[in-house]
Amino acid sequence: MNEVNLDFLFYPESVAVIGASHVPGKVGNGILRSLVNNFRGKIYAVNVKGGEIEVNGKKFKVYKSIKDVPDKVDVAVIAVPAKFVPEVIDECGEKGVKGVVVISAGFKEAGRADLEEELVKRAKKWGIRVVGPNCLGVTNLENGFDCNFNPPERQARPKFGPIAFMSQSGAFGAAILDWAARHEVGMSKFISLGNMADLDESDFMLYLKNDPKTKVITAYIEGVKDGKKFFNVAKETTKVKPVIVLKAGRTEAGAKAAASHTGSLAGSYRIYEAVFEQTGILAAKSMRQLFNYAKALAMQKPANGDRVAIVTNGGGAGVMMSDGLLERGLKLAELSEETKDKFRKAIEEGKLPEHMSYANPVDVIGDAPSSRYELAINYVLEDPNVDILAVIALFQSPALDEGIVDVMDRVKKYGKPIVFIAPGGEFPEKIARRIEKVGVPVFETVEDGVDAVYALVKYGKYLSEL
């Protein structure tokens, strides 16, 4: 399997925007704005009209051709009408450009497969790698290289973090980035795949497998370009880091929509399900589930087994969690007699309330302060029958103090994966942010927590069977 080094696409020293515009709202203007806002490398504006462009207070001389740029250019971002793109590719080749990001639409997805083939032919002639066409570009959150033309006031950029995301839909990808920013989900790199005329999902997966800044790879796909290649790359990648895929076109109607969207042949979803299972890919059914899985796997190590313990201050939430876990094929841990003896003794000594339940779920009841949580969590995590812990905290009870943040930091010493669930509004969210800063992922609902536990168990099981 040929390793793909695409650092030149994500870490360029210089970039040219071909089709740069001074008109706000135009794609070429949006790309320049994004680069000026974040990128510290050299930026060149190219437009056949020439002249000068001012973006965000910075003035650019506009070159009529990329060949006129006096310095070397690593990457060109192309936003000109489709019919001109092959000619622009030739000019990029003459300039020595290594990679191009073709934002322009009007190729295979619009019935012009011939134009797309010509684009690829010209690029291969010069040894240029192509992202797109018909895409939103690439974004590296680490260094600010961002050729996404959506303005930040409409589509926020997430903070830098360990999750990479690639999307066959530019618009959906933009929504994901905006959502991630709002929920403080950190991302390493974003790739809008578009039509995948050259570089495809497998090429980027292989690159991200070796990317030290990426812990988890996520993707929205409608179809894959080369099934055998995808299978082989996925099988190798999941040995190193988790891959989570949201596959659209699962129904016949959805598959038809995918074909008209990016020209993808979506294929039978049952085949994809089998491929995902065999290669260790986690299949998500929704955007929320995709990031529940990703967040858990980015912040916790995979579980060594499927025996789950629950500690909660609300009996109803514990029951819901139990139902959700069992419905996903997981097991509630059977606490050992030694652990039960610890609980009995603590109750006798007045350290724990006599009305609490120390079956699994362990219900520390509604008046539990953080100290009671800590005692129960310690007992549970010391139990060899427990592989993973879900902590549910209903902060609506005034008894539960902010000391729970330090508790969660201390209980990491057991080395078992922990998922924290904090339903509610503003106060739980505030505490959640603090808990995540000590390295424990927090989820808003019981259902989200079930997703997180499932991902940690499922991926752990896959690794154990390699």
Side-chain angles (χ1 to χ4, degrees), residues 8-148:
F8 62 88
L9 273 174
F10 293 97
Y11 297 92
E13 294 178 0
S14 56
V15 57
V17 179
I18 303 175
S21 172
H22 69 279
V23 181
K26 289 277 190 179
V27 170
N29 182 267
I31 295 166
L32 268 180
R33 279 188 66 192
S34 295
L35 288 166
V36 170
N37 283 343
N38 304 298
F39 184 53
R40 296 294 167 260
K42 294 179 180 177
I43 305 168
Y44 301 100
V46 178
N47 191 304
V48 290
K49 295 177 182 177
E52 187 177 84
I53 293 176
E54 183 174 337
V55 175
N56 293 3
K58 187 171 182 179
K59 291 183 179 179
F60 292 89
K61 176 182 178 180
V62 180
Y63 298 94
K64 292 187 176 182
S65 166
I66 192 170
K67 293 190 291 183
D68 299 333
V69 175
D71 304 310
K72 80 177 181 77
V73 176
D74 294 324
V75 173
V77 184
I78 301 173
V80 300
K83 63 183 179 180
F84 299 122
V85 172
E87 181 184 341
V88 169
I89 295 287
D90 278 338
E91 292 181 355
C92 289
E94 290 178 45
K95 182 64 182 173
V97 172
K98 299 173 186 174
V100 297
V101 180
V102 184
I103 307 296
S104 315
F107 293 88
K108 180 175 66 176
E109 84 289 350
R112 290 301 308 274
D114 58 320
L115 197 56
E116 192 163 311
E117 287 166 9
E118 184 62 25
L119 180 162
V120 173
K121 180 181 173 183
R122 305 268 184 114
K124 282 184 176 176
K125 170 187 168 185
W126 296 104
I128 294 172
R129 302 313 304 263
V130 180
V131 182
N134 182 32
C135 74
L136 196 61
V138 299
T139 301
N140 183 348
L141 281 307
E142 181 187 8
N143 66 357
F145 178 63
D146 179 13
C147 46
N148 179 341

Side-chain angles (χ1 to χ4, degrees), residues 67 255 306 354 376 388 394 413:
K67 293 190 291 183
D306 60 359
E354 60 179 320
I388 182 170
L394 304 175
K413 66 186 177 185

Side-chain angles (χ1 to χ4, degrees), residues 410-439:
R410 287 192 289 269
V411 298
K412 292 187 303 181
K413 66 186 177 185
Y414 293 102
K416 294 181 181 180
I418 302 171
V419 167
F420 197 98
I421 299 110
E426 190 175 330
F427 185 77
E429 189 173 333
K430 182 182 79 170
I431 301 299
R433 296 287 171 259
R434 291 176 57 194
I435 291 173
E436 289 193 338
K437 283 180 179 174
V438 303

Side-chain angles (χ1 to χ4, degrees), residues 9 20 41 89 111-112 123 130 132 152 159 172 205 212 222 241 262 271 276 289 310 320 327 436 438 450 452:
L9 273 174
I89 295 287
R112 290 301 308 274
V130 180
K159 64 183 181 180
F172 185 72
M205 190 190 301
E222 294 170 0
K241 57 186 70 170
T262 56
I271 294 173
F276 294 161
Q289 191 172 75
I310 303 165
M320 287 175 62
E327 285 168 358
E436 289 193 338
V438 303
V450 169

